[in-house]
Amino acid sequence: MYKMIEGFIVEYKNTYWIIRSYYDFGDYLFAIPRYVFDMNRTIKEVKEAIEFVSTYYPEKLQECKCFGRKVPFLKKSEVGRVLDPRSVALEVSNPLHKKAMKLLSELREHTNSVDIGITGGILVGKRTSDIDVIVYGRKTCEEVYKFLMESKTLEKYGRNEVLNLLENRREKYYNELIVKREMEKILQGKFEGVDVYIRLVPYTPKCPQKCTRSIEKLGTITTNVTITDSSLSYLYPCSYRAFDNKSRKEITITSDRGRFCEILKPGDFAFVRGELERVNDEGKTFLQLYLWDNEHFLLPIEKQ
């Protein structure tokens, strides 16, 4: 029996909620509101989603040591319709849907895996302008990433397209190197003229993870780092290993937001702002910077 993890969408109280994380929380689902029917409202920012829950469903916010903060949890028994990204339906009248299914078919054929799907607006049948692809399982993720690197399936963004993307994302902090790295990204681009973003989740709905960690929030900090390892910058949640030049300590930088993925390379010097956390996981303790808010940034600096 599969579990509902990252990318699945469920219906609750006239709202579609999208599942976040690949952890299994038993009878509960960690989900945030995305599409509100009666308000004709789409919620994209995490902070906005939390504010919505605080206003309309405050009882759904629960303290969770796995995240070190209050997050929305829905009971599985309370949700109505469940939408599996791997079972997305084709809306014949919508040309964008046809392109999404064509891309999906191409990726599935190459990997021989059905653990690839379409989430976001297309999954709920909403008129949208982009395609959100989600891939499950480490092996399939690596195959898709390699295929995208070697093929011309996605057309990379040009400079003007990246600038438009940054503006649409309401990015506050960027420079020319960010623009260059956005142009180089493997997991985003155009497919037959349509914007695409691909999220690689290293676990499958059949085998989600149990959360064994606990997180202690230590406050928001701004620091500068030198990147030592970016080998996991393409997976969800993306992460980097770094040396904090201020504290002189090793640190992990992590985010579940695609904008921070594939941005840094080993040897990069970067300014970063995020929530400092102390993570305890099965006897191991380490520091990490978690980036999720619009005020957070990851800014590589060109070497002189």
Side-chain angles (χ1 to χ4, degrees):
M1 179 63 181
Y2 69 81
K3 306 287 186 179
M4 287 174 271
I5 63 172
E6 174 71 27
F8 277 66
I9 294 177
V10 298
E11 185 179 351
Y12 175 74
K13 299 287 187 181
N14 293 319
T15 299
Y16 278 127
W17 301 58
I18 189 164
I19 308 301
R20 284 292 176 231
S21 93
Y22 46 64
Y23 291 122
D24 177 18
F25 293 103
D27 295 331
Y28 289 87
L29 300 169
F30 170 31
I32 60 174
R34 176 57 61 88
Y35 307 106
V36 187
F37 307 155
D38 51 3
M39 297 182 186
N40 193 27
R41 178 180 175 186
T42 299
I43 303 173
K44 291 195 173 182
E45 294 298 328
V46 177
K47 181 178 285 187
E48 184 185 356
I50 298 299
E51 289 173 352
F52 179 87
V53 178
S54 298
T55 301
Y56 296 99
Y57 308 106
E59 72 281 1
K60 297 302 176 188
L61 288 174
Q62 298 182 33
E63 197 70 42
C64 180
K65 67 178 183 179
C66 185
F67 301 106
R69 65 187 191 278
K70 286 186 175 182
V71 296
F73 276 107
L74 300 176
K75 286 185 178 180
K76 289 181 179 178
S77 59
E78 294 177 329
V79 303
R81 191 178 178 200
V82 175
L83 300 175
D84 184 336
R86 301 167 301 175
S87 302
V88 63
L90 171 63
E91 186 181 318
V92 179
S93 63
N94 191 333
L96 186 142
H97 282 222
K98 293 180 181 179
K99 291 181 180 181
M101 297 305 286
K102 181 178 178 181
L103 174 59
L104 180 59
S105 176
E106 188 171 330
L107 294 175
R108 284 179 170 179
E109 182 178 347
H110 176 77
T111 61
N112 195 31
S113 172
V114 295
D115 278 330
I116 306 174
I118 306 291
T119 188
I122 291 179
L123 183 58
V124 303
K126 183 180 180 293
R127 291 284 167 164
T128 184
S129 60
D130 55 12
I131 300 171
D132 292 314
V133 178
I134 192 157
V135 181
Y136 296 113
R138 183 65 179 263
K139 181 175 181 292
T140 305
C141 287
E142 291 174 349
E143 288 177 350
V144 166
Y145 196 67
K146 182 179 179 182
F147 172 67
L148 293 172
M149 278 196 295
E150 297 175 348
S151 72
K152 295 183 179 180
T153 300
L154 294 187
E155 178 186 350
K156 294 183 185 299
Y157 287 135
R159 188 176 188 278
N160 288 337
E161 289 169 317
V162 166
L163 291 175
N164 288 334
L165 177 70
L166 295 172
E167 183 179 349
N168 290 336
R169 292 195 315 213
R170 293 179 283 180
E171 291 276 10
K172 295 183 178 181
Y173 311 99
Y174 62 89
N175 57 16
E176 281 300 320
L177 186 52
I178 285 283
V179 173
K180 178 183 176 183
R181 296 285 170 84
E182 289 281 354
M183 291 169 61
E184 295 172 346
K185 282 188 175 183
I186 304 298
L187 297 175
Q188 69 182 21
K190 297 272 190 179
F191 180 76
E192 297 187 355
V194 178
D195 291 313
V196 174
Y197 182 73
I198 300 177
R199 176 161 293 191
L200 305 180
V201 180
Y203 299 98
T204 67
K206 277 189 176 181
C207 300
Q209 291 292 288
K210 291 287 185 183
C211 187
T212 57
R213 71 183 188 184
S214 63
I215 286 180
E216 177 188 357
K217 295 287 188 179
L218 301 177
T220 298
I221 68 166
T222 303
T223 188
N224 62 79
V225 300
T226 301
I227 301 303
T228 57
D229 185 354
S230 64
S231 60
L232 299 180
S233 69
Y234 68 101
L235 292 174
Y236 170 86
C238 60
S239 66
Y240 306 88
R241 294 291 299 158
F243 180 76
D244 185 338
N245 297 309
K246 285 188 176 181
S247 69
R248 314 299 295 174
K249 294 180 179 179
E250 295 290 331
I251 196 167
T252 296
I253 302 169
T254 187
S255 179
D256 44 25
R257 308 199 68 176
R259 66 183 61 184
F260 295 119
C261 299
E262 300 184 285
I263 285 292
L264 300 178
K265 299 178 180 180
D268 277 350
F269 177 84
F271 289 104
V272 57
R273 179 177 176 83
E275 288 186 354
L276 183 63
E277 302 175 331
R278 180 179 290 111
V279 183
N280 296 288
D281 194 353
E282 297 185 326
K284 295 181 180 179
T285 301
F286 60 92
L287 293 175
Q288 73 175 16
L289 269 177
Y290 174 51
L291 282 58
W292 64 273
D293 189 83
N294 263 4
E295 295 297 324
H296 297 163
F297 58 81
L298 198 52
L299 201 61
I301 305 298
E302 290 273 16
K303 293 180 178 179
Q304 301 299 318

